[in-house]
Amino acid sequence: MRAVQIVDLTGPESALAEADIPEPEPSHPLTPGSGVVVEVHAAGVSFPEVLQTRGEYQIKPDLPFVPGSEVAGTVRSAPEGSSLSEGDRVAACCMLGAFADVAVAPDFLTFPLSDELDYAQGAGLILNYHTAYFSLTHRGRLEEGQTVLVHGAAGGVGTATLQIAKGLGARTIAVVSSDDKERVAREAGADEGVRSDGAWKDEAKELSGGGIDIVIDPVGGDRFTDSLRSLREGGRVVVVGFTGGSIPEVRVNRLLLNNTEVIGAGWGAFVMGKPGINREIGDAVNRLVDEGFVRPIVGERFALERAADALKVIDERRATGKVVLELGD
Ligand SMILES: NC(=O)c1ccc[n+]([C@@H]2O[C@H](COP(=O)([O-])OP(=O)(O)OC[C@H]3O[C@@H](n4cnc5c(N)ncnc54)[C@H](OP(=O)(O)O)[C@@H]3O)[C@@H](O)[C@H]2O)c1
């Protein structure tokens, strides 16, 4: 089958190479001896793949390896006892191996793909939307009517968070770095847009009528202290990622003074090996698809052989919405 591999750790420009490799066995490392084999129509591209081309991601497979953590496609075969059958349209989290014609995912991380979504949208469904749902509900304890501020709001996690938050009845404020990104965030359901290089903290406090209930932060870096300052009493900052490059440090007296919380949200670490939670999140996200709230925003689309260009879009901070590789119809 066709595949793109990471062959060295020299960065997105040069670390990838096309390869013709054998199709994978129906077995996934998380469920040895069992796995859903998926004919890949679209593969999602995310920040971790960029990090992997430099050896900077926590998962460091031996070289060469096929990167890519999520796909949308059709089921070729499913393990005994699975609710899936051959030919079903699915979105699946395979962890690695998505940049190829065929990928294998655990049954508990493979979900029916609604006819409302095309394959490119399906390839942006799991990592971002499951993370967004998990961060807002399981970790952030979102309640209807609360105000959610989203950093990196035009990005993959950001747009997903805005859509899910709207679907769950929240008011949303997007923090973005440009007009173009504000447009994307508003299309994803942002009620308000504020600028990351402006007085966003004061604006957010004013727009929310006194303070934010939940900050979803995939960016980190310098703005973290202002995120804490933007909260109302009882508000929480949910830590999702560090695209800003640096891991913030908190002076914890701030939490005490204002009765606020900082909460970590590591979707992958939490749900791996928890089939029940995955089903629950998958059902909730699919319900929000049916209700029209979840519509993954696809940014740039590339053919498989242009995977390096796809990674560069993310590396150079040009991505709006989900970057995907398209492999079939
Ligand atoms: N915790 C979890 O379970 C989990 C799950 C999935 C992803 N993540 C993490 O969440 C983060 C966001 O992922 P994503 O897919 O949303 O990324 P993305 O689509 O590239 O968006 C990230 C956003 O971060 C902002 N940003 C600020 N400083 C940046 C910088 N120096 N370089 C690049 N972007 C910068 C950008 O928005 P502005 O230009 O508007 O500032 C950009 O739109 C990543 O760190 C990823 O690893 C975590």
Side-chain angles (χ1 to χ4, degrees):
M1 66 172 183
R2 290 180 306 153
V4 164
Q5 295 179 312
I6 291 181
V7 296
D8 61 38
L9 304 178
T10 54
E13 191 101 36
S14 49
L16 299 178
E18 285 179 67
D20 186 4
I21 59 172
E23 290 186 6
E25 296 294 316
S27 172
H28 190 275
L30 288 176
T31 52
S34 166
V36 181
V37 180
V38 180
E39 200 162 305
V40 179
H41 291 244
V45 183
S46 309
F47 211 69
E49 282 90 62
V50 175
L51 297 178
Q52 281 173 340
T53 64
R54 301 193 176 105
E56 290 173 357
Y57 193 60
Q58 59 257 36
I59 300 170
K60 296 182 171 67
D62 292 337
L63 298 173
F65 68 95
V66 180
S69 57
E70 61 184 331
V71 297
T74 50
V75 173
R76 250 200 204 174
S77 70
E80 225 177 277
S82 169
S83 59
L84 299 165
S85 335
E86 191 186 337
D88 285 355
R89 299 172 88 241
V90 289
C93 177
C94 51
M95 315 282 294
L96 288 172
F99 293 5
D101 282 326
V102 180
V104 180
D107 185 57
F108 72 83
L109 286 170
T110 307
F111 306 89
L113 177 62
S114 164
D115 288 337
E116 297 289 330
L117 304 183
D118 64 21
Y119 288 117
Q121 290 174 306
L125 200 57
I126 299 186
L127 210 59
N128 290 340
Y129 285 83
H130 285 220
T131 296
Y133 185 86
F134 171 71
S135 302
L136 286 165
T137 63
H138 292 247
R139 306 303 292 149
R141 310 190 302 276
L142 174 65
E143 289 173 19
E144 203 176 333
Q146 292 189 325
T147 303
V148 176
L149 179 138
V150 183
H151 286 294
V157 171
T159 49
T161 303
L162 288 169
Q163 292 182 3
I164 299 256
K166 286 310 286 179
L168 297 176
R171 187 150 178 265
T172 52
I173 300 175
V175 185
V176 288
S177 63
S178 69
D179 286 348
D180 198 32
K181 289 190 174 184
E182 179 169 341
R183 186 183 46 74
V184 173
R186 284 193 183 269
E187 275 170 23
D191 295 310
E192 310 286 351
V194 293
R195 238 8 96 78
S196 52
D197 62 356
W200 63 267
K201 183 248 305 169
D202 299 326
E203 289 161 19
K205 276 195 112 157
E206 201 175 311
L207 290 166
S208 61
I212 302 294
D213 293 289
I214 303 174
V215 173
I216 298 291
D217 185 13
V219 176
D222 297 344
R223 61 181 81 178
F224 199 81
T225 300
D226 273 348
S227 289
L228 287 174
R229 289 186 179 126
S230 76
L231 296 174
R232 69 157 175 78
E233 186 180 77
R236 39 252 177 237
V237 175
V238 181
V239 177
V240 178
F242 309 104
T243 51
S246 66
I247 297 178
E249 289 179 15
V250 187
R251 292 174 67 85
V252 294
N253 62 322
R254 286 187 196 289
L255 310 181
L256 175 154
L257 289 172
N258 300 318
N259 287 295
T260 54
E261 294 171 55
V262 176
I263 302 171
W267 171 78
F270 190 85
V271 300
M272 290 311 143
K274 292 192 183 70
I277 300 272
N278 281 293
R279 289 278 158 236
E280 187 195 306
I281 296 175
D283 289 348
V285 170
N286 272 349
R287 214 164 32 245
L288 291 168
V289 171
D290 292 342
E291 290 169 2
F293 289 106
V294 166
R295 289 290 178 275
I297 296 171
V298 177
E300 292 197 56
R301 300 162 186 249
F302 296 90
L304 179 65
E305 57 273 19
R306 290 192 58 209
D309 292 330
L311 292 193
K312 274 193 285 176
V313 167
I314 293 176
D315 193 36
E316 291 165 7
R317 204 174 166 178
R318 289 185 280 118
T320 51
K322 188 74 181 178
V323 178
V324 296
L325 303 178
E326 292 187 306
L327 290 94
D329 303 330

